[in-house]
């Protein structure tokens, strides 16, 4: 054959719809057409020279001792030109049912064996009637053929992939959606043997449906041609013949890519919500419409003191008894009214009647509704605000204290300036008098000088008190203790104050024997002077100031009793605080900075002693000082401060 004629023949064969294969006497392929390439997935060049049996499953390679083509040639007469249904094998191994006809021409070396194949595909492809026409035929008396066409129309328009298979099981029909999902043309799919898909789960479903039982498959389909993976769900169901036997099956294929994505997204969202729910520092719970817990998080479980998994199905009173019945009132209100209850604060002891240290809670309760408004239950948010409350109270306390400190400071400043100024006016008057007399050459009156000195002493005393108070605050009030006869010290102090006692009488009851303490003489004298000055100051009408010194269990106890104004009972505790002045000691009637007792307490306590008061308002007061004696084991005196200061 000339090259031109050969090309012409090739073009004619390529134009043919059905696959065509020619081979020589050795059954090796000499020629194929384009339809063969399309059907079996080979390129022409790959097929030329290959044994023709490669186009069939191996079980069909030999028949009664002959190759398949030769066997069919030998049966040609018997077949009378009718084609034979056999499986052809695609390049990827998938089997397709085809109608195969075999012919031969020429002899010996010139012999040519020609195979023609025809795909078995259903008439869905050739549906020609317009949709309206078929749909219009839908009535009770529908002709079976019309119903058949209508069914095919429905299948073809279905949004799901649909395929039918026979008992072999070979795909006998499918819709476009199915071929679209699989990524292969409908022509290639029809006739495909499902057994050759090598997916055990699909085969199980095929077998199940052929046994009359529907079966679901879910998996990822990998397109044979493109390798593209598609998650699919396939519902397999049997198809029955008129006599009721299963004649095949149908597979309904759904592309679940989107559903999987949505599911994955939902699962991720749920997982995140779950994390949030579990880890929330706030107690979260959900009660159903019968106020039984559906779920609680760990925080709420901890607040309730019951494991989280013990909550579901139980009401608050069941779990927490009396306290639960009280706590349930909030959610019950929400259920009855449909209104939320926000920021409800309660305490464990007073509100809920729970014993033990007080805990404070803040609760929010709100109705949980479906999108259409139906109440599903009550959401519960409980926060333990004990620490926050405590901090708030602490802050409020500190604030009050700061306010008080400011008030005390302001009071003190006005008192201190008044106190410091008071001696200055008489002092300046006395000095002016002295100056005048000196100028006139008159005699000086020692009384004027005494008064001037008295005011000066008073001023010095005030300034010393201020200095001492600030030393105490800074922790720098030095003590220089030594063995001291305390009885003599008392006697000496009383004598030194004789000039100040005015109309008062000092009555000192000595101890039967000497009492020695380990103390700072100057500072102990300061304490005693302060007590005596107060006794004189706060007993304005004169009277006897009784001073007692006694020994009790190696402790020297000194008491100073006056018949003065006394101290209101509720203020006796505070007398020894800095700047404190009792309310019955008005600045106008009684001068003073409220520092004397503060300094005295510090001195006494640093000697290992104690100072206290007993008083009846309006009747008088007794101040006590107890000091360990030298003999006492309990003497616990502080070390001498290294930096000596001026007395
Ligand atoms: P002050 O310089 O104000 O007297 P103190 O510290 O010595 O300071 O005394 C503190 C307060 O204690 C006094 O302001 C007074 O209210 C009360 N007080 C002290 N001693 C007596 C007392 N003998 N009788 C009544 N009140 C007293």
């Amino acid at each position: 054959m000339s090259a031109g004629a050969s090309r012409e023949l090739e073009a004619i064969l390529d134009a043919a719809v059905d696959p065509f294969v020619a081979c020589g006497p050795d059954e090796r392929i000499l020629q194929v057409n384009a339809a063969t390439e399309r059907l079996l997935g080979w390129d022409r060049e790959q097929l030329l020279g290959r044994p023709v049996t490669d186009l069939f499953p191996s079980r069909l390679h030999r028949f009664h001792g002959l190759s398949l083509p030769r066997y069919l040639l030998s049966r040609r007469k018997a077949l009378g030109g009718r084609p034979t249904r056999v499986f052809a094998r695609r390049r990827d191994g998938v089997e397709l049912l085809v109608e195969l006809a075999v012919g031969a021409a020429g002899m010996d070396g010139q012999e040519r064996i020609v195979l023609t194949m025809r795909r078995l595909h259903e008439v869905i492809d050739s549906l020609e009637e317009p949709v309206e026409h078929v749909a219009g035929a839908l009535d009770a008396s529908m002709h079976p053929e019309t119903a058949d066409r209508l069914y095919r129309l429905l299948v073809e328009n279905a949004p799901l992939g649909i395929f039918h298979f026979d008992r072999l099981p070979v795909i006998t029909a499918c819709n476009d959606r199915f071929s679209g999902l699989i990524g292969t043309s409908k022509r290639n799919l029809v006739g495909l043997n499902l057994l050759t898909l090598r997916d055990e789960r699909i085969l199980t479903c095929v077998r199940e449906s052929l046994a009359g039982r529907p079966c679901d498959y879910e998996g990822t389909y990998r397109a044979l041609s493109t390798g593209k993976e598609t998650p699919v769900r396939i519902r397999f169901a049997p198809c029955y013949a008129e006599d009721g036997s299963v004649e095949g099956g149908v597979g309904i294929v759904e592309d679940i890519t989107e559903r999987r994505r949505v599911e994955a997204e939902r699962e991720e969202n749920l997982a995140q919500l779950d994390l949030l729910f579990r880890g929330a520092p706030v107690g979260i719970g959900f009660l159903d419409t019968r106020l039984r817990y559906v779920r609680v998080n760990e925080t709420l479980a901890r607040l309730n003191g019951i494991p989280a998994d013990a909550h579901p199905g139980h009401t608050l009173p069941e779990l927490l008894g009396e306290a639960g019945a009280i706590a349930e009132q909030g959610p019950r209100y929400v259920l009855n009214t449909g209104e939320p209850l926000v920021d409800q604060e309660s305490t464990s002891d007073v509100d809920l009647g729970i014993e033990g240290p007080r805990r404070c809670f803040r609760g929010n309760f709100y109705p949980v509704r479906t999108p259409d408004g139906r109440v599903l239950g009550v959401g519960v948010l409980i926060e333990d605000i004990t620490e926050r409350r405590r901090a708030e109270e602490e802050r409020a306390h500190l604030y009050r204290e700061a306010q008080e400190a400011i008030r005390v400071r302001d009071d003190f400043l006005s008192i201190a300036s008044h106190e410091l100024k008071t001696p200055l006016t008489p002092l300046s008057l006395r000095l002016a008098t002295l100056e005048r007399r000196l100028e006139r050459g008159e005699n000086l009156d020692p009384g004027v000088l005494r008064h001037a000195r008295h005011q000066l002493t008073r001023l010095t005393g005030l300034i010393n008190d201020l200095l001492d108070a600030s030393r105490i605050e800074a922790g720098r009030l030095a003590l220089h203790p030594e063995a001291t006869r305390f009885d003599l010290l008392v006697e000496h102090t009383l004598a030194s104050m004789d000039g100040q006692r005015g109309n008062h009488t000092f009555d000192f009851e000595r101890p039967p024997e000497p009492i020695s303490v380990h103390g700072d003489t100057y500072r102990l004298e300061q304490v005693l002077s302060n007590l005596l000055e107060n006794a004189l100051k706060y007993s304005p009408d004169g009277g006897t100031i009784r001073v007692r010194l006694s020994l009790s269990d190696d402790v020297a106890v000194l008491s100073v009793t006056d018949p003065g104004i006394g101290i209101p009972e509720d203020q006796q505790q505070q007398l020894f605080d800095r700047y404190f002045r009792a309310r019955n000691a008005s600045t106008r009637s009684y001068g003073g900075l409220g520092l004397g007792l503060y300094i005295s307490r510090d001195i006494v306590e640093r000697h290992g002693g104690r100072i206290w008061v007993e008083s009846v308002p309006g009747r008088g007061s007794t101040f006590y000082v107890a000091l360990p004696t030298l003999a006492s084991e309990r003497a616990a005196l502080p070390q001498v401060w290294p930096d000596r200061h001026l007395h």
Side-chain angles (χ1 to χ4, degrees):
M1 203 191 299
S2 70
S6 167
R7 267 200 305 279
E8 195 176 328
L9 177 60
E10 198 172 299
I12 291 169
L13 290 174
D14 280 346
V17 173
D18 292 328
F20 163 94
V21 179
C23 35
D26 57 354
E27 295 174 25
R28 285 185 183 274
I29 297 170
L30 293 172
Q31 200 158 20
V32 295
N33 66 350
T36 308
E37 288 181 302
R38 279 197 302 273
L39 178 69
L40 300 179
W42 292 95
D43 288 340
R44 194 172 303 212
E45 290 70 33
Q46 294 169 320
L47 282 177
L48 297 182
R50 194 178 273 275
V52 73
T53 46
D54 280 4
L55 304 184
F56 302 94
S58 56
R59 66 179 183 279
L60 300 180
H61 284 186
R62 293 201 78 72
F63 251 75
H64 301 286
L66 298 169
S67 70
L68 179 67
R70 293 256 180 238
Y71 174 74
L72 290 177
L73 278 175
S74 72
R75 300 260 308 142
R76 230 159 61 153
K77 265 215 184 92
L79 289 168
R82 275 177 286 122
T84 308
R85 284 193 173 190
V86 293
F87 281 108
R89 189 172 166 279
R90 258 177 13 192
R91 191 180 163 204
D92 57 19
V94 171
E95 294 180 14
L96 307 166
L97 197 61
V98 297
E99 285 186 338
L100 177 68
V102 184
M107 295 288 288
D108 301 328
Q110 295 302 310
E111 189 191 29
R112 294 287 178 267
I113 303 170
V114 177
L115 292 80
T116 52
M117 296 178 215
R118 169 166 288 211
R119 284 298 307 278
L120 288 172
H121 43 79
E122 267 287 340
V123 269
I124 286 178
D125 280 350
S126 56
L127 184 75
E128 280 157 8
E129 294 196 50
V131 174
E132 302 78 25
H133 176 78
V134 180
L138 184 64
D139 61 41
S141 58
M142 200 188 294
H143 188 276
E145 253 180 51
T146 314
D148 204 28
R149 280 201 298 276
L150 181 62
Y151 169 72
R152 286 176 184 153
L153 187 65
L154 289 174
V155 166
E156 201 48 54
N157 285 283
L160 302 165
I162 299 175
F163 64 95
H164 285 262
F165 51 93
D166 60 17
R167 293 200 60 89
L168 280 176
V170 165
I171 294 180
T172 54
C174 70
N175 65 359
D176 283 335
R177 176 95 182 116
F178 178 65
S179 70
L181 278 173
I182 300 298
T184 310
S185 76
K186 206 189 277 182
R187 268 171 184 280
N188 282 346
L189 286 167
V190 173
L192 185 144
N193 184 356
L194 291 171
L195 290 180
T196 56
L197 284 179
R198 289 179 293 235
D199 184 323
E200 252 324 299
R201 287 192 301 134
I202 287 191
L203 294 183
T204 306
C205 283
V206 169
R207 275 195 289 272
E208 281 292 293
S209 51
L210 290 178
R213 291 182 292 270
C215 181
D216 287 323
Y217 166 90
E218 193 172 316
T220 304
Y221 172 76
R222 191 165 192 280
L224 295 166
S225 50
T226 60
K228 182 182 170 230
E229 297 201 331
T230 314
V232 289
R233 176 169 298 157
I234 309 176
R235 165 134 266 243
F236 286 87
C239 288
Y240 296 95
E242 270 171 20
D243 64 0
S245 63
V246 176
E247 64 171 8
V250 61
I252 300 169
V253 189
E254 188 189 352
D255 178 350
I256 54 170
T257 311
E258 184 57 15
R259 194 196 298 175
R260 280 255 178 101
R261 193 187 61 74
V262 171
E263 272 173 12
E265 211 167 80
R266 202 178 49 209
E267 263 167 34
E268 194 177 321
N269 284 344
L270 280 176
Q272 281 174 355
L273 266 180
D274 201 52
L275 264 182
L276 207 70
F277 180 80
R278 280 172 195 279
V282 176
I284 307 176
F286 176 61
L287 296 163
D288 65 14
T289 48
R290 290 164 67 183
L291 296 177
R292 288 174 313 202
Y293 272 117
V294 177
R295 203 177 158 192
V296 299
N297 71 351
E298 284 304 324
T299 310
L300 187 56
R302 251 197 322 278
L303 290 178
N304 286 344
I306 294 168
D309 53 10
H311 283 73
H314 294 287
T315 62
L316 273 152
E318 281 168 12
L319 293 169
L320 303 172
E322 194 63 26
I326 300 168
E328 197 181 53
Q329 288 169 3
R332 188 175 295 286
Y333 171 87
V334 172
L335 211 56
N336 291 341
T337 61
E339 297 290 323
L341 262 187
V342 294
D343 290 344
Q344 300 292 303
E345 295 197 359
S346 55
T347 54
S348 58
D349 49 354
V350 177
D351 299 325
L352 301 175
I354 301 170
E355 284 175 14
R358 166 175 291 191
R359 306 216 50 85
C360 307
F361 306 107
R362 176 174 295 152
N364 280 284
F365 312 99
Y366 52 94
V368 176
R369 293 194 166 92
T370 56
D372 60 4
R374 201 159 43 88
V375 173
L376 285 180
V378 181
V380 176
L381 296 179
I382 306 285
E383 209 182 337
D384 186 338
I385 54 166
T386 313
E387 289 310 316
R388 199 188 305 165
R389 268 273 184 91
R390 197 169 290 156
E392 276 168 11
E393 279 166 12
E394 179 88 344
R395 266 202 303 279
H397 178 70
L398 286 175
Y399 179 73
R400 277 196 305 274
E401 275 192 349
Q403 293 284 82
E404 178 62 12
I406 291 170
R407 190 191 62 76
V408 168
R409 186 202 60 193
D410 290 348
D411 285 359
F412 169 75
L413 282 177
S414 80
I415 292 171
S417 39
H418 172 79
E419 284 297 302
L420 291 171
K421 235 181 80 190
T422 308
L424 288 179
T425 316
L427 182 62
S428 131
L429 274 175
R430 305 272 185 270
L431 289 175
T433 309
L434 287 174
E435 191 181 20
R436 228 180 10 256
R437 293 207 166 179
L438 271 174
E439 276 169 3
R440 290 187 202 144
E442 292 173 5
N443 285 339
L444 293 184
D445 179 359
V448 177
L449 268 174
R450 207 170 29 251
H451 273 115
R453 205 161 55 82
H454 173 71
Q455 302 304 341
L456 214 60
T457 314
R458 196 172 153 195
L459 255 182
T460 314
L462 287 171
I463 290 166
N464 277 340
D465 277 0
L466 282 169
L467 285 171
D468 284 347
S470 73
R471 283 189 188 112
I472 289 171
E473 279 305 294
R476 289 198 296 117
L477 185 81
L479 289 184
H480 306 284
E482 57 198 347
T484 304
R485 280 282 298 275
F486 195 38
D487 51 333
L488 296 182
L489 183 142
V490 176
E491 223 170 80
H492 174 256
T493 312
L494 281 168
S496 71
M497 290 191 60
D498 208 39
Q500 284 172 249
R501 69 181 167 78
N503 296 327
H504 292 89
T505 320
F506 285 140
D507 169 20
F508 178 40
E509 197 175 295
R510 282 174 191 73
E513 65 220 56
I515 297 179
S516 293
V517 296
H518 188 72
D520 183 320
T521 319
Y522 171 81
R523 291 299 179 189
L524 290 179
E525 262 184 34
Q526 185 179 352
V527 172
L528 188 54
S529 307
N530 182 46
L531 294 181
L532 292 170
E533 276 165 17
N534 280 350
L536 295 170
K537 182 161 69 176
Y538 297 110
S539 312
D541 301 328
T544 305
I545 313 292
R546 239 189 289 283
V547 181
R548 298 268 175 283
L549 179 60
S550 60
L551 201 60
S552 162
D553 293 339
D554 283 343
V555 174
V557 181
L558 171 80
S559 64
V560 178
T561 306
D562 67 64
I565 59 172
I567 298 140
E569 207 163 320
D570 59 316
Q571 295 196 304
Q572 292 177 11
Q573 287 293 321
Q574 296 155 272
L575 282 199
F576 302 91
D577 291 350
R578 191 161 60 133
Y579 309 138
F580 187 83
R581 309 202 70 224
R583 61 175 163 271
N584 59 344
S586 74
T587 327
R588 209 171 321 134
S589 319
Y590 309 97
L593 293 175
L595 287 175
L597 289 180
Y598 168 71
I599 297 166
S600 301
R601 185 188 60 179
D602 187 77
I603 294 171
V604 170
E605 287 182 352
R606 288 183 54 204
H607 276 82
R610 205 160 74 78
I611 184 168
W612 72 99
V613 65
E614 284 172 7
S615 174
V616 178
R619 304 262 304 268
S621 316
T622 300
F623 281 84
Y624 294 90
V625 172
L627 288 174
T629 57
L630 254 191
S632 163
E633 291 287 321
R634 282 173 292 164
L637 289 170
Q639 304 255 307
V640 176
W641 285 90
D643 54 332
R644 299 180 68 87
H645 70 91
L646 297 173
H647 288 327

